[in-house]
């Protein structure tokens, strides 16, 4: 009986050993095979849900709507959301999204389809994974960098960003390229070819500047300051040759920057640097303030399901690295620690802010997986158990939270546990009960990847898109389209989320009840979106000029404001035909 009970575990152990042996042979023999494996892993992780997931509020819908207007107007310099300038971030991500949108339009995909706008983020996340492997394989080793890339690919934080039409995934790819170039300059032998490394560094810096502004220069400066301080030398700074290589990022960003500064009368730099960047440094912007230490608490959960392996092995890589890797671990500390301290001190905190600091953690973990135990000191041995405990706690807590929370959310949204919710819960429970028994780090890595593919695929493709209670704009659009009134002018009171504008059109009027009355009086036939409690009042005030019909209602939850909403979609028709004269 004992043998029969253990047979599945034995079979899984044999399977993981065969997978590891095959991957090890293939990676050591051919870099192309490792690259293809990583690409396939990323496709399985990032493509599910890219089209079916509704437009999310608020940042993603703002980016998609501004890009949609850029494509419609042909103005590739000025960034606008409806008639208001959007000068918080540079233009790079909008250009990438606009290019994808134009290509999609040529094959008949509608401008309101989400996937073209999200494709740059998917490509950015995949590129970050590949660049982490290809950029660091000669520094830390093929197998080590491959493990680091798998850990990065499977982490919850990057999977989420790969599904959203924002800046962070593409910025991560540029930062990994930048830091890979700097690492090659700092860690590789003196006879290593520096030209390619400088191209990686300065081109990555330039692209990151064009995507999200000052984040990459700050990170590069902190890393350089750390290694120069540790070495008591500025030789690395000299090797990157700021002159003339600084011209490369300046050439990338200057034409657009000068154009937008002239077009906005200097308002772009004022809004993006002063109001957006510095305001986040000095105060908690947009109700996102949190105390120092917040990232230390939440990041282990953001790394699920890789957290049980990533955190303890990153510590092991730091403490057990050989003399040959001492400069590498020093560089990774320079990438990770100064920026992390600053992020903790900055009042404004959002989970994705620490995304550029996850790659050095993954690289340290890749080193730790393949390094023998070199710890001799008893205090260090005791201390080394804490990352393992933290990683295991975060992994179990996150898995149980998903196993319990997903079914509860399904019951709240639809009144029952859906098949997708049940499968997610069962997979998470299996992970907590079974995968924790896997002792070998390499098998833990493959088990984490498999768990991530199943759970994230179900969440983004089958579960989240069917949570009708949290997608008001999607439901409102379906009500209007089902009645074939999609071409009518629309005005909305109370519910003003960017996803509504993206779904219903740039000309959607966001107003109050008084504006609703003016909109109905101005247009012979129009769509009005108001709170359900105001329907009778609206009918009464419009009774002299218009007949008002209810097309449909929506009751759900506005997660951006954290409160329930009850909306009615109305159609207004003039009573007197001479109103149109």
């Amino acid at each position: 009986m004992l043998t029969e009970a253990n047979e599945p575990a034995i079979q899984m152990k044999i399977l993981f050993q065969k997978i590891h042996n095959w991957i090890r042979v293939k990676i050591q023999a051919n870099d192309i095979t490792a690259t293809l494996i990583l690409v396939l892993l990323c496709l399985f992780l990032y493509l599910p849900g890219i089209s079916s997931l509704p437009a999310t509020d608020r940042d993603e819908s703002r980016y998609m709507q501004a890009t949609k207007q850029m494509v419609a107007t042909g103005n590739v310099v000025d960034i606008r959301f409806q008639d208001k300038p959007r000068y918080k971030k540079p233009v790079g991500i909008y250009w990438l999204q606009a290019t994808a949108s134009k290509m999609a339009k040529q094959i008949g995909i509608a401008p309101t389809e989400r996937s073209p706008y999200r494709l740059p983020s998917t490509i950015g996340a995949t590129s970050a994974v590949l660049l982490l492997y290809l950029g660091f394989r000669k520094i830390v080793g093929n197998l080590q960098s491959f493990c680091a890339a798998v850990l990065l690919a499977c982490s919850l934080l990057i999977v989420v960003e790969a599904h959203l039409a924002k800046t962070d995934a593409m910025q991560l790819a540029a930062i990994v390229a930048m830091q890979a170039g700097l690492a090659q300059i700092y860690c590789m032998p003196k006879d290593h070819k520096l030209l390619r490394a400088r191209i990686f560094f300065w081109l990555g810096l330039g692209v990151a500047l064009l995507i999200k502004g000052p984040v990459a220069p700050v990170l590069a400066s902190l890393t350089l300051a750390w290694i120069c301080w540790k070495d008591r030398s500025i030789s690395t700074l000299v090797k990157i040759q700021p002159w003339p290589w600084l011209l490369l990022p300046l050439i990338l960003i200057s034409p657009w920057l000068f154009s937008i500064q002239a077009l906005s009368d200097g308002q772009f730099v004022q809004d993006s640097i002063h109001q957006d960047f510095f305001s986040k440094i000095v105060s908690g912007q947009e109700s996102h303030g949190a105390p120092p230490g917040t990232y230390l608490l939440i990041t282990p959960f953001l790394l699920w399901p890789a957290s049980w392996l990533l955190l303890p092995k990153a510590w092991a890589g730091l403490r057990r690295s050989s003399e040959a890797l001492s400069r590498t671990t020093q560089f990774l500390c320079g990438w990770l620690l100064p920026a992390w301290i600053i992020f903790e001190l900055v009042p404004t905190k959002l989970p994705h802010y620490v995304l550029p600091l996850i790659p050095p953690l993954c690289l340290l973990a890749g080193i730790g997986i393949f390094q023998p135990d070199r710890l001799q000191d008893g205090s260090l041995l005791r201390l080394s158990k804490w990352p393992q405990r933290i990683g295991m706690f975060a992994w179990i807590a996150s898995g149980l939270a998903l196993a319990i929370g997903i079914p509860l959310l399904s019951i709240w949204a639809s009144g029952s546990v859906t098949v997708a919710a049940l499968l997610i819960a069962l997979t998470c429970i299996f992970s907590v009960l079974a995968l924790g028994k896997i002792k070998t780090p390499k098998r833990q890595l493959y088990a984490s990847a498999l768990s991530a593919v199943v759970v994230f695929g179900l969440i983004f493709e089958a579960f989240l898109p069917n949570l009708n209670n949290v997608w008001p704009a999607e439901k409102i659009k379906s009500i209007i389209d089902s009645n074939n009134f999609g071409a009518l002018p629309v005005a909305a009171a109370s519910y003003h989320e960017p996803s509504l504008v993206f779904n219903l059109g740039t000309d959607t009027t966001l107003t109050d009840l008084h504006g609703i009355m003016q909109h109905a009086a101005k247009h012979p036939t129009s769509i009005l979106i108001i709170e359900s409690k105001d329907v009778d009042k609206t009918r009464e005030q419009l009774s002299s000029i218009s007949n008002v019909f209810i097309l449909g209602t929506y009751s759900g939850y506005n997660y951006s404001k954290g409160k329930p909403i009850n909306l009615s979609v109305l159609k207004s028709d003039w009573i007197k035909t001479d109103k149109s004269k």
Side-chain angles (χ1 to χ4, degrees):
M1 292 295 294
L2 185 62
T3 304
E4 291 179 0
N6 289 338
E7 187 173 349
I10 295 172
Q11 293 297 326
M12 184 176 291
K13 180 178 179 181
I14 295 172
L15 175 62
F16 284 145
Q17 186 61 45
K18 289 181 177 179
I19 293 173
H20 171 67
N21 291 338
W22 182 82
I23 289 177
R24 181 182 61 186
V25 172
K26 293 296 183 181
I27 289 175
Q28 291 176 339
N30 193 344
D31 293 332
I32 296 177
T33 302
T35 303
L36 290 176
I37 293 172
L38 291 173
V39 169
L40 288 174
L41 176 62
C42 290
L43 292 179
F44 281 120
L45 286 167
Y46 306 151
L47 285 185
I50 189 176
S51 178
S52 57
L53 183 70
T56 61
D57 286 311
R58 294 177 175 147
D59 281 351
E60 183 189 38
S61 291
R62 287 170 177 161
Y63 279 108
M64 293 195 294
Q65 175 59 29
T67 300
K68 188 168 72 169
Q69 291 180 217
M70 180 179 285
V71 174
T73 61
N75 188 342
V76 298
V77 176
D78 200 14
I79 307 167
R80 290 189 172 269
F81 182 90
Q82 293 189 301
D83 59 344
K84 297 178 181 178
R86 181 163 166 77
Y87 294 155
K88 289 190 174 184
K89 297 293 185 294
V91 76
I93 195 65
Y94 300 99
W95 284 349
L96 293 172
Q97 291 178 1
T99 301
S101 179
K102 286 182 179 179
M103 295 173 64
K105 187 177 180 181
Q106 291 178 354
I107 59 175
I109 296 178
T112 52
E113 168 60 40
R114 283 86 56 177
S115 55
Y117 303 96
R118 290 169 174 163
L119 189 59
S121 292
T122 305
I123 294 173
T126 304
S127 299
V129 171
L130 296 179
L131 286 166
L132 192 67
Y133 167 65
L134 296 173
F136 286 88
R137 60 191 175 86
K138 291 185 178 179
I139 298 174
V140 302
N142 267 5
L143 287 172
Q144 289 87 339
S145 61
F146 178 82
C147 289
V150 172
L151 288 169
L152 178 64
C154 295
S155 299
L156 172 63
L157 191 54
I158 193 172
V159 173
V160 170
E161 292 302 328
H163 284 85
L164 300 179
K166 293 165 52 197
T167 57
D168 299 281
M170 187 58 72
Q171 179 195 233
L172 179 66
I175 286 176
V176 172
M178 175 187 78
Q179 295 293 77
L182 185 57
Q184 290 173 16
I185 292 172
Y186 179 70
C187 301
M188 297 293 285
K190 293 182 179 180
D191 58 352
H192 177 70
K193 295 180 180 179
L194 295 179
L195 177 61
R196 184 176 64 178
R198 293 189 185 110
I199 292 174
F200 264 86
F201 177 78
W202 290 107
L203 185 61
L205 177 62
V207 172
L209 267 171
L210 200 58
I211 296 293
K212 205 172 181 177
V215 176
V218 169
L219 186 58
S221 300
L222 290 172
T223 308
L224 277 167
W226 174 278
I227 58 181
C228 289
W229 171 62
K230 283 291 186 178
D231 288 352
R232 303 296 190 270
S233 169
I234 62 169
S235 60
T236 304
L237 181 61
V238 173
K239 286 182 180 179
I240 65 173
Q241 293 184 354
W243 178 259
W245 282 94
L246 185 58
L247 292 175
L248 180 57
L250 291 178
I251 289 171
L252 283 176
I253 196 169
S254 294
W256 172 80
L257 184 59
F258 289 141
S259 299
I260 193 63
Q261 277 294 92
L263 187 65
S264 65
D265 295 325
Q267 193 64 33
F268 174 80
V269 170
Q270 173 71 13
D271 287 358
S272 63
I273 302 297
H274 182 265
Q275 294 186 13
D276 186 54
F277 184 72
F278 285 118
S279 64
K280 290 176 180 177
I281 294 177
V282 299
S283 62
Q285 195 182 57
E286 299 177 357
S287 303
H288 297 310
T294 298
Y295 287 126
L296 285 176
L297 292 175
I298 67 172
T299 299
F301 299 94
L302 299 176
L303 300 177
W304 191 89
S307 52
W308 68 328
L309 181 62
L310 201 159
L311 295 177
K313 291 306 174 183
W315 172 259
L318 182 64
R319 301 305 308 178
R320 303 174 189 170
S321 59
S322 62
E323 288 296 325
L325 290 172
S326 60
R327 288 179 70 82
T328 300
T329 54
Q330 185 165 292
F331 173 83
L332 296 176
C333 288
W335 183 350
L336 177 65
L337 296 179
W340 194 287
I341 292 170
I342 289 178
F343 281 138
E344 291 285 14
L345 295 177
V346 170
T348 303
K349 289 182 173 64
L350 286 170
H352 61 267
Y353 285 1
V354 294
L355 182 60
L357 307 185
I358 303 305
L361 271 177
C362 295
L363 288 165
L364 286 170
I367 294 171
I369 289 173
F370 291 94
Q371 287 296 314
D373 191 350
R374 297 174 182 272
L375 295 179
Q376 302 296 332
D377 185 81
S379 61
L380 286 179
L381 284 170
R382 289 190 296 272
L383 184 61
S384 67
K385 295 179 180 179
W386 278 103
Q388 184 173 354
R389 291 170 181 169
I390 293 171
M392 185 62 69
F393 170 78
W395 173 69
I396 293 175
S398 301
L400 291 178
L402 286 171
I404 298 170
I406 293 292
L408 290 178
L409 192 58
S410 177
I411 294 172
W412 170 77
S414 60
S416 62
V417 179
T418 62
V419 174
L422 181 61
L423 290 174
I424 293 168
L426 290 175
T427 304
C428 292
I429 292 172
F430 174 79
S431 298
V432 171
L433 295 178
L435 301 188
K437 297 180 180 180
I438 301 174
K439 303 302 181 182
T440 306
K442 303 173 189 67
R443 294 170 189 160
Q444 290 175 346
L445 181 68
Y446 306 137
S448 296
L450 181 60
S451 179
V453 167
V454 174
V455 172
F456 294 145
L458 288 170
I459 287 176
F460 285 101
E461 181 63 38
F463 179 70
L464 288 179
N466 293 308
L467 285 180
N468 295 326
N469 280 23
V470 298
W471 308 120
E474 196 81 5
K475 179 61 175 178
I476 291 169
K477 177 177 171 58
S478 68
I479 291 173
I480 296 173
D481 289 347
S482 65
N483 289 277
N484 296 318
F485 295 140
L488 296 181
V490 181
S494 180
Y495 185 71
H496 292 169
E497 297 302 331
S499 59
L500 189 70
V501 179
F502 176 74
N503 278 284
L504 301 186
T506 304
D507 295 331
T508 301
T509 301
L510 305 179
T511 183
D512 53 17
L513 272 181
H514 179 68
I516 287 285
M517 308 305 171
Q518 291 180 327
H519 180 86
K522 181 179 179 182
H523 299 281
T525 306
S526 61
I527 300 296
L528 312 176
I529 302 168
I530 62 173
E531 292 190 41
S532 296
K533 64 182 178 65
D534 295 323
V535 170
D536 292 339
K537 180 180 178 180
T538 303
R539 274 179 166 161
E540 181 182 349
Q541 294 190 9
L542 293 175
S543 60
S544 62
I545 64 169
S546 178
N547 289 321
V548 176
F549 308 94
I550 297 180
L551 298 179
T553 60
Y554 173 84
S555 294
Y557 194 76
N558 183 354
Y559 57 85
S560 294
K561 291 188 175 181
K563 65 179 185 180
I565 54 172
N566 293 283
L567 302 174
S568 291
V569 183
L570 312 178
K571 179 174 178 283
S572 170
D573 288 316
W574 279 1
I575 297 173
K576 299 178 181 179
T577 57
D578 61 356
K579 284 280 186 181
S580 60
K581 294 181 181 180

